[in-house]
Amino acid sequence: MNSETEDTPLFHKPLSRRKLLGGAATAAVVLVQTAVGKTVQAAIPEAAVITDDPTKKPGPLPSELGTRSVYEKPVRKPSDTSSRTPLQDLYGTITPADLHYERHHAGVPTIKPQDYELYIHGLVEKPMKFTLSDLKRFPAFSRICFLECSGNFRSNPAGKITPQEIAGLTSQSEWTGVLLSTLFREVGVKPNATWFLAEGSDAAVMTRSIPVKKGLLDGMIAYAQNGEAIRPEQGYPARLFLPGWEGNTSVKWLRRLEFSDAPFMTREETSKYTEPVKDGKIRQFSFDMDTRSIITFPAYPVQVEKGWIEIRGIAWSGRGKITKVEVSTDAGKTWQLARLQDPVLDKAHTYFRHLWQWNGAETEIRSRAVDETGYTQPTFNQLVAARGDNKGGYHFNPITTWLIQRDGQVLNKPDK
């Protein structure tokens, strides 16, 4: 028996009492056509109303601070002494300040900006103290460049390791502050001063010896990052910043510069931050970060589909600009030039791309970078031959290989 009447909407379905009562208070009323063509009103309970249509409801009003979408959740990967930038989740080359990697030796100190002082003394004509306000009165200087921990290398025998875990101790920001050359002139650095000691205000009292010529070349004291005051994890209120050099030399929470005619041979440049090389020797004061690149897509844990894939990644060098990046999609048998994204800056992350058509066969992809000095990123075996097996140590910058299996699963292929 047909139960339709002339007043029964075509889409009508029985509703439970709970749904009916739950939606009655906010039921929507629409006009629908019945089986016999008559137009009637029909109530749609709230539970049946589409609520994710942004055109149907005003959104939040302007706020004091912006936030990420609730659907985007990039996070650093922390350990006891560091946290790594999620390279695979970033777009372009600028790292959001809250995702910039952090590395410290005794936690993050809390320093009131009104209490901050920087003392400069030693082989200078006029020993001086500078407050944060004093530093900000000098001509400001900004530049975009990367920062990298010298111990920025990890591996996993099973290949289940992300770009973040392999090389996430590098990040890039726009840094703003005062050039060291400006302060050196202000205090009158003496001609026989060839080194200066940089000392931090953390509980570890981090100290490093720095050649004066580096400070004059491009060193700065940074008090801002990506347009805002630097974060506490990055050295608030002010830090030393030495473009292209290993991260520990850019001493955070900077409180003192002392000039001398010789390095100070502190703990962090004798028993630490030195690396073994061949024949039982130890390399000291290896400041420059070597040329490196890494493919950030496709990478573990991504699973790709057969067809066109844009291979993407970043390349950088502590000795200058990246001049080219090559990509291999056949386990290193052949190499093709990748496209570099402008602007290509000095001592900065450079974004690269390469369009590739995957045929579904198992293969390996990798990248290698070349900087303006002609240095080419080496393989793992080349590094071992030159330095000994320093895997997991300092200044280890091997080519990273990704294995693409037949099912599209991407894994890191560990070096042997």
Side-chain angles (χ1 to χ4, degrees):
M1 175 178 172
N2 188 346
S3 61
E4 283 186 351
T5 69
E6 63 176 16
D7 294 330
T8 303
L10 290 175
F11 67 84
H12 175 76
K13 292 182 179 180
L15 293 174
S16 69
R17 183 174 181 273
R18 177 178 297 177
K19 288 184 178 180
L20 184 59
L21 292 177
T26 56
V29 177
V30 297
L31 298 178
V32 297
Q33 194 174 51
T34 66
V36 295
K38 183 179 179 181
T39 300
V40 299
Q41 290 186 346
I44 303 177
E46 183 183 27
V49 176
I50 299 175
T51 58
D52 60 355
D53 184 348
T55 69
K56 303 304 181 183
K57 182 180 179 181
L61 296 176
S63 61
E64 292 183 336
L65 291 174
T67 60
R68 286 190 180 89
S69 166
V70 296
Y71 304 108
E72 301 294 331
K73 303 182 186 299
V75 293
R76 295 184 298 203
K77 190 176 182 65
S79 68
D80 290 341
T81 59
S82 66
S83 59
R84 295 171 175 264
T85 294
L87 299 178
Q88 68 280 353
D89 298 328
L90 302 185
Y91 303 93
T93 59
I94 298 296
T95 307
D98 61 351
L99 295 178
H100 193 288
Y101 89 88
E102 60 177 313
R103 170 75 174 96
H104 36 77
H105 298 75
V108 179
T110 299
I111 302 172
K112 296 179 180 179
Q114 64 269 25
D115 294 338
Y116 177 79
E117 288 184 333
L118 171 63
Y119 183 42
I120 303 179
H121 66 120
L123 293 179
V124 298
E125 298 294 342
K126 299 181 296 180
M128 299 180 70
K129 281 186 179 180
F130 299 93
T131 65
L132 185 61
S133 296
D134 292 334
L135 294 178
K136 291 180 178 180
R137 280 199 290 267
F138 286 104
F141 176 79
S142 294
R143 70 171 297 170
I144 295 173
C145 49
F146 77 88
L147 187 66
E148 182 178 15
C149 176
S150 61
N152 189 24
F153 177 77
R154 292 291 183 272
S155 62
N156 182 304
K160 295 182 178 182
I161 186 171
T162 65
Q164 178 177 28
E165 294 167 298
I166 295 171
L169 292 180
T170 184
S171 306
Q172 178 153 286
S173 296
E174 180 191 56
W175 303 95
T176 300
V178 55
L179 289 172
L180 284 181
S181 57
T182 301
L183 294 179
F184 288 5
R185 288 192 297 270
E186 186 74 10
V187 300
V189 175
K190 294 182 178 179
N192 60 329
T194 54
W195 292 78
F196 66 88
L197 178 77
E199 181 180 87
S201 299
D202 58 333
V205 191
M206 179 72 178
T207 49
R208 284 302 310 260
S209 299
I210 309 297
V212 169
K213 61 181 180 181
K214 174 62 175 177
L216 290 171
L217 176 65
D218 57 8
M220 64 188 296
I221 294 176
Y223 48 73
Q225 174 188 13
N226 294 346
E228 64 175 359
I230 57 175
R231 303 274 174 121
E233 300 90 344
Q234 301 307 319
Y236 182 86
R239 71 175 299 164
L240 180 64
F241 192 85
L242 302 174
W245 280 24
E246 59 183 13
N248 66 84
T249 62
S250 291
V251 176
K252 295 183 285 188
W253 314 291
L254 186 67
R255 71 175 184 178
R256 186 167 70 94
L257 299 179
E258 180 181 353
F259 286 83
S260 177
D261 58 1
F264 290 77
M265 297 299 178
T266 71
R267 173 184 179 272
E268 308 302 337
E269 56 206 23
T270 51
S271 66
K272 304 296 181 183
Y273 297 110
T274 58
E275 61 267 10
V277 292
K278 294 180 66 175
D279 303 323
K281 296 181 180 179
I282 300 293
R283 188 169 68 167
Q284 188 182 24
F285 298 124
S286 48
F287 295 123
D288 297 291
M289 295 307 298
D290 294 319
T291 303
R292 192 173 184 184
S293 68
I294 185 170
I295 292 171
T296 55
F297 180 87
Y300 178 80
V302 166
Q303 187 168 13
V304 296
E305 296 181 356
K306 180 180 176 180
W308 289 103
I309 298 172
E310 185 180 65
I311 296 172
R312 300 188 289 266
I314 54 173
W316 63 97
S317 171
R319 295 187 176 90
K321 294 181 179 180
I322 292 294
T323 56
K324 69 176 179 179
V325 175
E326 296 175 306
V327 171
S328 175
T329 57
D330 56 8
K333 297 182 180 68
T334 62
W335 295 85
Q336 297 82 40
L337 280 176
R339 177 185 174 187
L340 302 184
Q341 174 67 53
D342 289 329
V344 178
L345 301 175
D346 179 58
K347 302 180 181 69
H349 286 171
T350 298
Y351 205 60
F352 67 85
R353 300 179 174 90
H354 177 69
L355 193 60
W356 169 55
Q357 188 174 25
W358 181 45
N359 61 12
E362 183 170 290
T363 191
E364 297 172 11
I365 62 173
R366 59 189 67 166
S367 65
R368 66 183 180 193
V370 181
D371 69 15
E372 59 185 345
T373 70
Y375 177 94
T376 301
Q377 182 182 3
T379 65
F380 177 86
N381 289 333
Q382 288 172 329
L383 280 171
V384 170
R387 304 180 187 173
D389 190 355
N390 185 34
K391 187 174 182 180
Y394 301 119
H395 291 267
F396 215 66
N397 61 319
I399 289 172
T400 299
T401 299
W402 299 104
L403 170 67
I404 301 182
Q405 299 178 322
R406 290 183 180 274
D407 63 358
Q409 180 63 58
V410 183
L411 298 171
N412 175 245
K413 184 175 181 180
D415 296 296
K416 298 179 180 180

